Short mmCIF file of all heavy atoms in Angstrom, two decimals:
data_model
loop_
_atom_site.label_atom_id
_atom_site.label_comp_id
_atom_site.label_asym_id
_atom_site.label_seq_id
_atom_site.Cartn_x
_atom_site.Cartn_y
_atom_site.Cartn_z
N PRO B 117 146.57 114.41 174.99
CA PRO B 117 146.69 115.49 174.06
C PRO B 117 147.47 116.61 174.76
O PRO B 117 147.16 116.98 175.94
CB PRO B 117 145.21 115.95 173.88
CG PRO B 117 144.39 114.73 174.27
CD PRO B 117 145.18 114.07 175.32
N ARG B 118 148.49 117.14 174.08
CA ARG B 118 149.44 118.05 174.74
C ARG B 118 148.75 119.20 175.42
O ARG B 118 149.00 119.52 176.62
CB ARG B 118 150.47 118.57 173.73
CG ARG B 118 151.45 119.54 174.36
CD ARG B 118 152.46 120.05 173.40
NE ARG B 118 151.84 120.81 172.30
CZ ARG B 118 151.49 122.07 172.32
NH1 ARG B 118 151.62 122.73 173.49
NH2 ARG B 118 150.93 122.64 171.35
N GLN B 119 147.85 119.87 174.71
CA GLN B 119 147.25 121.09 175.29
C GLN B 119 146.38 120.76 176.56
O GLN B 119 146.35 121.52 177.48
CB GLN B 119 146.45 121.79 174.21
CG GLN B 119 147.31 122.43 173.17
CD GLN B 119 146.56 123.33 172.21
OE1 GLN B 119 145.38 123.22 172.10
NE2 GLN B 119 147.33 124.16 171.45
N GLN B 120 145.72 119.61 176.46
CA GLN B 120 144.90 119.25 177.61
C GLN B 120 145.79 118.87 178.78
O GLN B 120 145.49 119.15 180.00
CB GLN B 120 144.00 118.05 177.30
CG GLN B 120 142.89 118.45 176.32
CD GLN B 120 141.92 117.29 176.05
OE1 GLN B 120 141.45 116.61 176.96
NE2 GLN B 120 141.65 117.06 174.79
N PHE B 121 146.96 118.23 178.47
CA PHE B 121 147.92 117.90 179.54
C PHE B 121 148.42 119.21 180.17
O PHE B 121 148.54 119.29 181.42
CB PHE B 121 149.06 117.12 178.98
CG PHE B 121 150.06 116.67 180.04
CD1 PHE B 121 149.85 115.55 180.82
CD2 PHE B 121 151.26 117.36 180.21
CE1 PHE B 121 150.69 115.17 181.79
CE2 PHE B 121 152.17 117.02 181.18
CZ PHE B 121 151.89 115.91 182.00
N GLU B 122 148.71 120.21 179.34
CA GLU B 122 149.20 121.50 179.87
C GLU B 122 148.13 122.13 180.76
O GLU B 122 148.44 122.78 181.77
CB GLU B 122 149.56 122.45 178.72
CG GLU B 122 150.80 122.03 177.99
CD GLU B 122 151.06 122.76 176.69
OE1 GLU B 122 150.27 123.76 176.45
OE2 GLU B 122 151.96 122.40 175.94
N HIS B 123 146.89 122.00 180.36
CA HIS B 123 145.81 122.46 181.20
C HIS B 123 145.84 121.86 182.59
O HIS B 123 145.63 122.54 183.62
CB HIS B 123 144.45 122.25 180.50
CG HIS B 123 143.30 122.85 181.25
ND1 HIS B 123 143.08 124.20 181.41
CD2 HIS B 123 142.27 122.26 181.92
CE1 HIS B 123 142.00 124.41 182.11
NE2 HIS B 123 141.50 123.23 182.47
N VAL B 124 146.03 120.57 182.63
CA VAL B 124 146.10 119.89 183.89
C VAL B 124 147.33 120.36 184.71
O VAL B 124 147.25 120.56 185.88
CB VAL B 124 146.20 118.35 183.68
CG1 VAL B 124 146.38 117.63 185.04
CG2 VAL B 124 144.96 117.82 182.99
N LEU B 125 148.42 120.61 183.97
CA LEU B 125 149.60 121.15 184.65
C LEU B 125 149.34 122.44 185.36
O LEU B 125 149.71 122.67 186.52
CB LEU B 125 150.72 121.37 183.65
CG LEU B 125 151.49 120.18 183.09
CD1 LEU B 125 152.52 120.59 182.01
CD2 LEU B 125 152.27 119.48 184.22
N THR B 126 148.62 123.33 184.65
CA THR B 126 148.36 124.65 185.32
C THR B 126 147.45 124.52 186.52
O THR B 126 147.53 125.38 187.41
CB THR B 126 147.75 125.63 184.30
OG1 THR B 126 146.48 125.04 183.83
CG2 THR B 126 148.61 125.81 183.13
N GLN B 127 146.68 123.49 186.53
CA GLN B 127 145.72 123.33 187.68
C GLN B 127 146.35 122.48 188.81
O GLN B 127 145.72 122.41 189.88
CB GLN B 127 144.45 122.74 187.19
CG GLN B 127 143.65 123.62 186.27
CD GLN B 127 142.27 123.12 185.96
OE1 GLN B 127 142.12 121.91 185.74
NE2 GLN B 127 141.29 123.96 185.96
N HIS B 128 147.48 121.88 188.54
CA HIS B 128 148.12 121.05 189.56
C HIS B 128 149.62 121.41 189.64
O HIS B 128 150.41 120.76 189.02
CB HIS B 128 147.91 119.54 189.24
CG HIS B 128 146.51 119.13 189.28
ND1 HIS B 128 145.89 118.67 190.44
CD2 HIS B 128 145.55 119.04 188.33
CE1 HIS B 128 144.62 118.37 190.20
NE2 HIS B 128 144.41 118.57 188.90
N PRO B 129 149.91 122.43 190.44
CA PRO B 129 151.28 122.93 190.54
C PRO B 129 152.22 121.80 190.96
O PRO B 129 153.44 121.76 190.56
CB PRO B 129 151.25 123.95 191.60
CG PRO B 129 149.83 124.43 191.56
CD PRO B 129 148.99 123.26 191.24
N GLU B 130 151.74 120.80 191.73
CA GLU B 130 152.62 119.74 192.15
C GLU B 130 153.04 118.87 190.95
O GLU B 130 154.14 118.31 190.94
CB GLU B 130 151.99 118.94 193.26
CG GLU B 130 150.87 117.97 192.82
CD GLU B 130 149.52 118.65 192.77
OE1 GLU B 130 149.43 119.88 192.59
OE2 GLU B 130 148.46 117.95 192.88
N LEU B 131 152.17 118.77 189.97
CA LEU B 131 152.52 118.08 188.73
C LEU B 131 153.52 118.82 187.91
O LEU B 131 154.52 118.27 187.38
CB LEU B 131 151.27 117.74 187.92
CG LEU B 131 151.43 116.83 186.71
CD1 LEU B 131 151.92 115.47 187.08
CD2 LEU B 131 150.15 116.75 185.89
N GLU B 132 153.30 120.09 187.81
CA GLU B 132 154.22 120.93 187.11
C GLU B 132 155.61 120.90 187.78
O GLU B 132 156.63 120.88 187.10
CB GLU B 132 153.71 122.40 187.00
CG GLU B 132 154.66 123.28 186.20
CD GLU B 132 153.98 124.28 185.34
OE1 GLU B 132 153.23 123.87 184.41
OE2 GLU B 132 154.19 125.49 185.53
N HIS B 133 155.59 120.85 189.06
CA HIS B 133 156.85 120.76 189.82
C HIS B 133 157.58 119.47 189.51
O HIS B 133 158.80 119.46 189.28
CB HIS B 133 156.63 120.87 191.36
CG HIS B 133 157.87 120.71 192.11
ND1 HIS B 133 158.80 121.77 192.32
CD2 HIS B 133 158.42 119.63 192.73
CE1 HIS B 133 159.77 121.30 193.00
NE2 HIS B 133 159.60 120.03 193.29
N ALA B 134 156.79 118.43 189.44
CA ALA B 134 157.41 117.13 189.11
C ALA B 134 158.01 117.11 187.68
O ALA B 134 159.09 116.55 187.46
CB ALA B 134 156.34 115.96 189.22
N LEU B 135 157.32 117.76 186.76
CA LEU B 135 157.83 117.88 185.40
C LEU B 135 159.12 118.69 185.42
O LEU B 135 160.06 118.41 184.68
CB LEU B 135 156.80 118.51 184.49
CG LEU B 135 157.19 118.66 183.03
CD1 LEU B 135 157.62 117.32 182.41
CD2 LEU B 135 156.09 119.31 182.19
N LEU B 136 159.14 119.76 186.22
CA LEU B 136 160.34 120.59 186.29
C LEU B 136 161.51 119.75 186.81
O LEU B 136 162.59 119.79 186.22
CB LEU B 136 160.12 121.78 187.24
CG LEU B 136 161.33 122.64 187.50
CD1 LEU B 136 162.00 123.18 186.29
CD2 LEU B 136 160.94 123.81 188.47
N GLU B 137 161.28 119.01 187.85
CA GLU B 137 162.39 118.17 188.39
C GLU B 137 162.86 117.18 187.38
O GLU B 137 164.07 116.94 187.24
CB GLU B 137 161.87 117.42 189.68
CG GLU B 137 161.61 118.34 190.83
CD GLU B 137 162.63 118.22 191.99
OE1 GLU B 137 163.69 117.69 191.72
OE2 GLU B 137 162.26 118.65 193.08
N LYS B 138 161.92 116.54 186.65
CA LYS B 138 162.29 115.60 185.63
C LYS B 138 163.13 116.30 184.51
O LYS B 138 164.11 115.75 183.99
CB LYS B 138 161.05 114.99 185.00
CG LYS B 138 161.26 113.77 184.18
CD LYS B 138 160.40 112.56 184.64
CE LYS B 138 160.70 111.29 183.96
NZ LYS B 138 161.57 110.41 184.76
N THR B 139 162.67 117.46 184.09
CA THR B 139 163.36 118.19 183.02
C THR B 139 164.77 118.60 183.52
O THR B 139 165.73 118.55 182.65
CB THR B 139 162.55 119.43 182.65
OG1 THR B 139 161.21 119.04 182.32
CG2 THR B 139 163.14 120.08 181.41
N LEU B 140 164.89 118.99 184.73
CA LEU B 140 166.22 119.35 185.25
C LEU B 140 167.15 118.16 185.23
O LEU B 140 168.34 118.27 184.88
CB LEU B 140 166.08 119.92 186.68
CG LEU B 140 165.53 121.33 186.83
CD1 LEU B 140 165.14 121.64 188.24
CD2 LEU B 140 166.55 122.34 186.31
N THR B 141 166.60 116.98 185.57
CA THR B 141 167.41 115.73 185.54
C THR B 141 167.80 115.41 184.09
O THR B 141 168.89 115.03 183.79
CB THR B 141 166.60 114.58 186.14
OG1 THR B 141 166.28 114.94 187.50
CG2 THR B 141 167.41 113.33 186.17
N ASP B 142 166.82 115.57 183.16
CA ASP B 142 167.13 115.34 181.75
C ASP B 142 168.26 116.23 181.30
O ASP B 142 169.16 115.81 180.51
CB ASP B 142 165.91 115.59 180.86
CG ASP B 142 164.84 114.52 181.02
OD1 ASP B 142 165.13 113.45 181.62
OD2 ASP B 142 163.70 114.71 180.58
N LEU B 143 168.23 117.50 181.74
CA LEU B 143 169.27 118.45 181.32
C LEU B 143 170.61 118.02 181.90
O LEU B 143 171.61 118.04 181.21
CB LEU B 143 168.88 119.81 181.77
CG LEU B 143 169.83 120.98 181.44
CD1 LEU B 143 170.03 121.07 179.91
CD2 LEU B 143 169.33 122.29 181.91
N ASP B 144 170.62 117.61 183.15
CA ASP B 144 171.82 117.05 183.79
C ASP B 144 172.39 115.92 182.91
O ASP B 144 173.58 115.85 182.64
CB ASP B 144 171.59 116.57 185.20
CG ASP B 144 171.35 117.69 186.19
OD1 ASP B 144 171.71 118.86 185.89
OD2 ASP B 144 170.79 117.45 187.30
N ASN B 145 171.51 114.94 182.56
CA ASN B 145 171.95 113.82 181.77
C ASN B 145 172.44 114.22 180.46
O ASN B 145 173.45 113.62 179.92
CB ASN B 145 170.79 112.81 181.63
CG ASN B 145 170.43 112.20 183.00
OD1 ASN B 145 171.23 112.08 183.89
ND2 ASN B 145 169.17 111.71 183.10
N ALA B 146 171.77 115.15 179.80
CA ALA B 146 172.23 115.60 178.45
C ALA B 146 173.61 116.19 178.59
O ALA B 146 174.49 115.91 177.75
CB ALA B 146 171.28 116.61 177.88
N ARG B 147 173.85 116.99 179.60
CA ARG B 147 175.16 117.59 179.78
C ARG B 147 176.24 116.56 180.10
O ARG B 147 177.41 116.66 179.69
CB ARG B 147 175.13 118.69 180.88
CG ARG B 147 174.39 119.91 180.37
CD ARG B 147 174.17 120.97 181.44
NE ARG B 147 173.72 122.21 180.89
CZ ARG B 147 173.14 123.20 181.53
NH1 ARG B 147 173.00 123.10 182.84
NH2 ARG B 147 172.77 124.31 180.88
N GLU B 148 175.87 115.57 180.85
CA GLU B 148 176.81 114.48 181.19
C GLU B 148 177.19 113.76 179.89
O GLU B 148 178.33 113.39 179.75
CB GLU B 148 176.13 113.47 182.15
CG GLU B 148 177.05 112.42 182.66
CD GLU B 148 178.15 113.00 183.47
OE1 GLU B 148 177.93 113.88 184.32
OE2 GLU B 148 179.33 112.53 183.31
#
Side-chain angles (χ1 to χ4, degrees):
Chain B
R118 180 181 59 82
Q119 291 187 343
Q120 290 183 50
F121 183 81
E122 289 169 9
H123 183 68
V124 176
L125 282 176
T126 59
Q127 292 189 320
H128 295 272
E130 74 275 26
L131 186 63
E132 182 142 298
H133 177 82
L135 180 58
L136 173 57
E137 293 251 18
K138 193 128 187 98
T139 307
L140 286 166
T141 302
D142 286 349
L143 183 56
D144 289 341
N145 291 337
R147 286 174 168 165
E148 187 63 42

